[in-house]
Amino acid sequence: MARERVAAFAPGRVNLIGEHTDYNGGLALPFAIDAGVTVRAERASEPRVEAYAADVDERDAFALTDDGAAVGWRAFVRGVVHELRATGVPVAGARLEIGGDVPRGSGLSSSAALEVSLCLALIALGGAQAALSRLEIARLCARVESRWAGVQTGLLDQLASLCGQERAALLIDFSTLRIEAVAVALAGWRLVVIDSGQRHTLASSGYNQRRAECQLASELLGVPWLSEAAPDDLPRLPEPLRARAEHVLSENQRVVAAVQALRDGELGELASLLNASHASLRDRFDVSTDAVERTVAGLLQAGAAGARLIGGGFGGSVLGLFPPSVTLPGATLEVRPAAGARLLAARTAA
């Protein structure tokens, strides 16, 4: 049923552990957070979209059939409209207002939250709620990232935003796309994120290069996914491909160990795994920066038992795990698993 007005919210995410494994057919353990992006959509009589990004006080307007390129937040709006129409989903003319509280460029996946909230709002406004499954929406949003924003992402951010659950992280196997909820009971321990102060733009960072290196490593080893490589075969790879593969295989093992630590209530072991993950991302995957290293060191000095960069790297935020007795340092944001993307309100068209 078509809607006259609709609002949709999609959360950002924190990836507890399992970085750069999604596009390698590996394992990851993300969770949705409370902060996110809200899109309010109102049906328009003309076949065009008028969008207002309240956070930056900017506007865009284009015909539904306009496939012209754009940059910044406009690329995501235009990309979502195009990809929905290309998939056969009816898209109505609309006036959109976009706002949110997940920081842009901080590694908390503001782009995926924007894509997902746009998809849910436009699908509902056009009356096609059952047209796409959540997995299909995730794949559509990944196409928007790739084709319109120039970032060859996996599906981690979109699935975490779409499928998040309160009090649980999502164990995602990206070779099968099987998702299993894993309870996050911290027993007084606290997870926080803090901005390193270095904005990251994945399209202009080394993210796509890392993905290309992993693809080349897979091809040289003759496996469809780098996560399926045999550890004994890694010495065949030249550097830096060998280091990239070593990170992926060891990170998958750390995800498995982190799930077990959560189930056993071994939060100190989880903290050690966060530290090991960061060291691997820094030394084997080469995605850390001086600003990130200072931020990690600052959290550890402030009493965190474990800390690591999150997201694609090259800046953004750092995750820290603090024991119960330690006072959280200033400028940190405590995070906990929250519900996934959803419609907030709607009015049926007459």
Side-chain angles (χ1 to χ4, degrees):
M1 182 178 296
R3 309 294 180 92
E4 181 180 300
R5 292 186 180 90
V6 66
F9 171 81
R13 64 94 188 95
V14 164
N15 189 20
L16 187 56
I17 198 163
E19 216 68 79
H20 288 276
T21 51
D22 57 342
Y23 57 81
N24 284 302
L27 305 172
L29 193 63
F31 59 84
I33 59 176
D34 287 327
V37 174
T38 298
V39 172
R40 302 185 185 281
E42 181 178 5
R43 179 178 287 271
S45 58
E46 299 296 321
R48 58 190 273 110
V49 171
E50 298 176 1
Y52 172 59
D55 298 343
V56 291
D57 192 24
E58 294 178 356
R59 298 180 183 274
D60 191 22
F62 57 95
L64 291 178
T65 55
D66 184 352
D67 295 334
V71 296
W73 66 271
R74 295 174 177 87
F76 293 101
V77 178
R78 291 172 178 247
V80 166
V81 170
H82 173 85
E83 295 299 333
L84 283 172
R85 295 181 70 249
T87 308
V89 175
V91 178
R95 289 181 289 272
L96 308 176
E97 181 175 325
I98 303 164
D101 56 357
V102 59
R104 289 171 290 129
S106 63
L108 302 179
S109 196
S110 59
S111 60
L114 173 58
E115 299 153 7
V116 169
S117 56
L118 283 166
C119 272
L120 294 186
L122 289 171
I123 289 172
L125 198 69
Q129 291 92 320
L132 298 177
S133 68
R134 296 230 155 182
L135 177 56
E136 289 170 329
I137 291 174
R139 286 176 167 150
L140 184 149
C141 290
R143 293 197 297 273
V144 173
E145 290 268 9
S146 173
R147 297 172 181 175
W148 291 78
V151 184
Q152 306 295 319
T153 66
L155 293 175
L156 186 153
D157 297 344
Q158 293 84 5
L159 287 176
S161 183
L162 282 159
C163 303
Q165 297 185 28
E166 293 184 358
R167 297 183 293 279
L170 305 177
L171 175 59
I172 307 176
D173 183 338
F174 287 93
S175 67
T176 63
L177 295 179
R178 180 177 182 270
I179 300 176
E180 178 184 354
V182 177
V184 177
L186 297 178
W189 290 64
R190 288 164 293 175
L191 286 165
V192 305
V193 293
I194 184 170
D195 194 339
S196 70
Q198 182 176 2
R199 297 274 65 74
H200 76 165
T201 303
L202 293 183
S204 58
S205 71
Y207 182 94
N208 288 345
Q209 179 183 349
R210 295 297 178 276
R211 178 158 187 169
E213 289 168 345
C214 290
Q215 179 61 37
L216 179 56
S218 298
E219 293 170 359
L220 292 175
L221 294 175
V223 292
W225 299 105
L226 192 50
S227 290
E228 296 181 5
D232 291 344
D233 289 339
L234 298 194
R236 293 166 41 196
L237 294 172
E239 294 292 358
L241 303 188
R242 178 177 177 178
R244 308 302 188 237
E246 288 172 343
H247 165 73
V248 171
L249 295 191
S250 64
E251 189 78 344
N252 286 330
Q253 294 172 346
R254 284 186 287 272
V255 173
V256 173
V259 170
Q260 193 61 51
L262 283 171
R263 288 172 173 163
D264 293 342
E266 296 289 346
L267 281 305
E269 173 62 18
L270 179 62
S272 296
L273 291 166
L274 298 185
N275 290 331
S277 175
H278 180 76
S280 184
L281 287 162
R282 179 192 64 217
D283 300 335
R284 292 169 169 161
F285 225 71
D286 194 24
V287 294
S288 191
T289 66
D290 290 343
V292 168
E293 290 304 309
R294 288 193 296 270
T295 306
V296 168
L299 283 180
L300 295 174
Q301 290 168 4
R308 75 172 192 89
L309 69 86
I310 54 175
F314 307 102
S317 292
V318 169
L319 175 69
L321 178 59
F322 280 80
S325 59
V326 177
T327 300
L328 298 182
T332 59
L333 171 68
E334 188 170 359
V335 290
R336 56 182 59 87
R342 56 201 179 271
L343 292 178
L344 299 177
R347 181 183 295 178
T348 303

